[in-house]
Amino acid sequence: MGPTITRRDLLRLAGGSALGVIFSPLPWKLLDDSAIWTQNWSLNPPLSHAPISLAYSTCTLCPGGCGITARCTGGVPFSLTGTKSHPVGRGVLCAAGLAGHQMAMHPLRIVQACASSGRSVGAVISPLEREKAIAAIGAILNGLSARDAPHSVALIDRRPGRALSAVYRNFLSTVPGGLYIVSPSAEDATLTTLQQMAATPAWIGGFDFEQTRTLLSFGAPVLEGWGSPGQVMDIWSKRARTGFRLIQADSRPSRTARLAQTWLQLRPGTETILALGLGHVIIRENLHAHDIKRTTRDFAEYARLVARFDPPTVSALCGVSKESIEETARTIARRPSLVVAGTDPAGGPLPNEARTAIAALNVLLGTMGTRAGIVARNPLPGEPVMPPATTIDQVPDQSIRILIIDGAESGYDIPVSLLRKKVHPQGAIVSLSPLLTPMTAWADYIIPAPAHLELLEEISTAPGAVTCSYALARPLHPVREGSTDPLDFLRLLSAVTAGAATTIPTRDAMLRARADAIHASGRGKVFMPQDGAWIEVKGLATTEQFWQKLSEGGCWIDDGPAQSRSVSFSLLPGGNDEATRCLALLSGSETPEGSSVTVMPYGVRGATASAQVSPILSKIFQESNLKDLDGTALLHPGTATSYGLADGDSATMHNGAGTMRVVVRCDGAVLPGVVHVAAGPRRNNSDAPGCVGGEGILSLCEPGSDGTWRLTTATIGKAHGSEI
């Protein structure tokens, strides 16, 4: 019998060769220095001396759907680049995408199912045959009764909108209390909110970024890989010619904030107040759309609310000058404009009131249904009409008996504490993941899934796009032995679950059904990466021909936005209750006292502590400071001095959720009394000191009742010796 493996071993990403029982049988001391990984050829894909060939696929490391051109030898990829002229990716790949071909050989690759003996950090992790693990999960399912409803079995889909998403929903409809959950909204937060505000529930919108001239962003990391990176970079590079203007309302000195033509640095947590203050100026100066009373159902109520948020009051609460508030309102009113609410990949979503107040500005300005604004989008052919998905914050605490976490990458973090809060003490968390991450390490059952570019997958419309798109992610690696397709997991689980009569389709049948529906619509055209040619769908006589084009790396794009139709919106969908919550903000927020500071986590999509980061990127990030490493704390020099800290010092942060050590970095652009702490990427062979939970700063961010974790308070002081 080998050494005992505990959850603490997994969370610290250490434990010696014993971990090879569950993970890739590699010399685990190599994790001490990923540079060795890049120099040890046995850990890299074996390459032949065959001629170099090209293969085309689509990246699935986030919902962006960028095109991939892979250079291969003997069928094995050794280099990835963005596909030139690709209609979605625009020839661009982010850092994670460029190294995506290495994910199949990742040293933290899970190759065997396993189970935990309990919830504690010291619980023993043991290998378990896949069938026995699924049988154990099925036994919990079969033990559920009506009294365990309504949220007995839940599944978090981290990349909704796929054909697989519909299969997930159908399966959940056959089990007691089945609940379909999506990750907190990210790039499409404003569109999702507007859909909830619309009188027509099936309304779907997209951002016409190409035509707009002013983008007001509330915290969206627009220039840091937001949406489709290639599209944003293309628009930004042409700003001098087009007159595109970016106004960033952000507390953190992010790259987007520093590069924006205007940076409104507001106090943390005051986004709702600023949005309502802008609404005040727009109505006071009669800058709103001329038909606003026709397109809204509660304009009078909204006007009465924002009348209380005059610029002097808002300025005092937000820290943004009265003149800046008024000038921003006038700017977005006189130019083709868009207003978006952003989500930091580690900082989590804005509160619901903030998302609503920000989305309402688009309705107020009359940008809905207009070019250069937010246009209606046709649904993807074959996409079934489904009821709105549930978000994790809407689930009652301790109500879930089985929580299944889909292994797809969204690029955005969810605190493990939020997930565990929703699961019953006798419940179980099941992770379908190819790699060890903090979220996977806290699972009760781990079922290893295929890695990036191992499985035939699909990528549908990128978040916020004005036209539908569809492409296949062609596999470039064989599926690793021991990995389980999520469809096979559902099929095996259905076989041992009483009453689960849903037929689980094969992957080929599932994807072909979606492709057949697109072909049958006769809409759009297919971009072919080999020569940049476009082929009309109507010119493809059979569905097999259309499928073949997709299989060769083709990307289908719809004809264009939907025909504009009149849709009315509610500016205050929560009614009087929402207005009351907004008015309560006028009393201001409490300022941390004593040695406490306001803490805000931050990260970059695809490079957070829980992201699937290639070892070569880990090496580059650490040696070049390309990304702020896990535990980097940004403080204003005055704040650092007041707590006896200096640039480069090691400090400890503590609150009721735990303690962690951080490295201080002084930055004059940070607001006094605020600390921004990076949530990744992770240092090699190290947990964030003092955070055995494995999440770094997110383990200190206790989610609120509204499901947000953007703000927390903690004490900070200089670390001494081995203090943790």
Side-chain angles (χ1 to χ4, degrees), residues 198-542:
T200 305
W203 180 85
I204 305 173
F207 299 121
D208 192 1
F209 285 129
E210 266 80 9
Q211 304 298 322
T212 197
R213 288 299 168 260
T214 299
L215 175 62
L216 171 57
S217 159
F218 282 78
V222 176
L223 303 180
E224 297 156 88
W226 194 69
S228 177
Q231 179 193 35
V232 174
M233 290 176 62
D234 187 44
I235 294 171
W236 184 247
S237 67
K238 298 175 181 176
R239 65 190 182 280
R241 176 166 55 85
T242 63
F244 176 80
R245 183 177 184 83
L246 173 62
I247 303 174
Q248 184 75 0
D250 204 339
S251 302
R252 184 172 72 86
S254 63
R255 180 174 183 268
T256 302
R258 295 178 193 267
L259 292 176
Q261 287 96 334
T262 301
W263 176 19
L264 305 176
Q265 191 174 25
L266 68 167
R267 294 191 180 106
T270 60
E271 291 85 0
T272 307
I273 297 171
L274 178 58
L276 294 173
L278 294 173
H280 172 100
V281 176
I282 291 170
I283 292 178
R284 184 189 70 189
E285 300 187 6
N286 199 31
L287 301 174
H288 55 73
H290 64 87
D291 59 347
I292 187 67
K293 293 182 180 180
R294 181 181 62 82
T295 57
T296 61
R297 305 189 294 274
D298 51 5
F299 176 73
E301 292 86 344
Y302 176 83
R304 284 195 295 270
L305 172 64
V306 300
R308 301 282 299 276
F309 291 81
D310 58 276
T313 300
V314 171
S315 176
L317 293 170
C318 291
V320 177
S321 72
K322 167 182 173 293
E323 293 74 18
S324 294
I325 295 169
E326 292 174 336
E327 179 57 30
T328 299
R330 294 165 188 154
T331 298
I332 61 177
R334 67 173 176 254
R335 309 181 82 209
S337 302
L338 278 170
V339 186
V340 299
T343 298
D344 184 279
L350 288 163
N352 184 64
E353 287 78 17
R355 297 197 300 270
T356 301
I358 294 165
L361 292 174
N362 292 289
V363 180
L364 199 64
L365 295 171
T367 64
M368 306 304 299
T370 64
R371 296 313 301 253
I374 297 177
V375 298
R377 189 181 78 209
N378 286 315
L380 185 70
E383 187 172 14
V385 177
M386 294 286 189
T390 303
T391 55
I392 190 67
D393 58 284
Q394 297 172 318
V395 181
D397 292 351
Q398 298 189 1
S399 63
I400 299 175
R401 297 302 179 114
I402 297 180
L403 176 62
I404 302 170
I405 304 174
D406 173 54
E409 261 292 335
S410 68
Y412 288 75
D413 278 353
I414 306 176
V416 173
S417 55
L418 178 60
L419 302 180
R420 296 174 68 198
K421 183 179 179 182
K422 303 300 179 180
V423 178
H424 192 276
Q426 278 74 55
I429 298 176
V430 182
S431 175
L432 310 178
S433 176
L435 299 179
L436 174 63
T437 66
M439 187 181 294
T440 302
W442 274 110
D444 298 286
Y445 295 95
I446 301 175
I447 308 294
H452 177 52
L453 298 177
E454 279 190 351
L455 200 62
L456 180 63
E457 296 187 80
E458 62 175 337
I459 283 285
S460 55
T461 313
V466 296
T467 54
C468 290
S469 61
Y470 189 80
L472 297 178
R474 172 185 175 184
L476 301 179
H477 296 284
V479 175
R480 182 72 170 268
E481 184 179 357
S483 299
T484 301
D485 184 338
L487 288 171
D488 291 333
F489 168 78
L490 292 182
R491 192 174 295 109
L492 292 169
L493 187 57
S494 296
V496 297
T497 302
T502 299
T503 300
I504 307 299
T506 64
R507 179 163 291 272
D508 186 73
M510 177 184 72
L511 299 182
R512 279 178 177 266
R514 178 68 63 90
D516 289 351
I518 296 173
H519 181 264
S521 73
R523 289 164 27 196
K525 51 189 176 181
V526 183
F527 167 80
M528 297 306 298
Q530 292 82 359
D531 55 7
W534 288 90
I535 301 174
E536 296 284 343
V537 171
K538 293 179 181 178
L540 299 172
T542 66

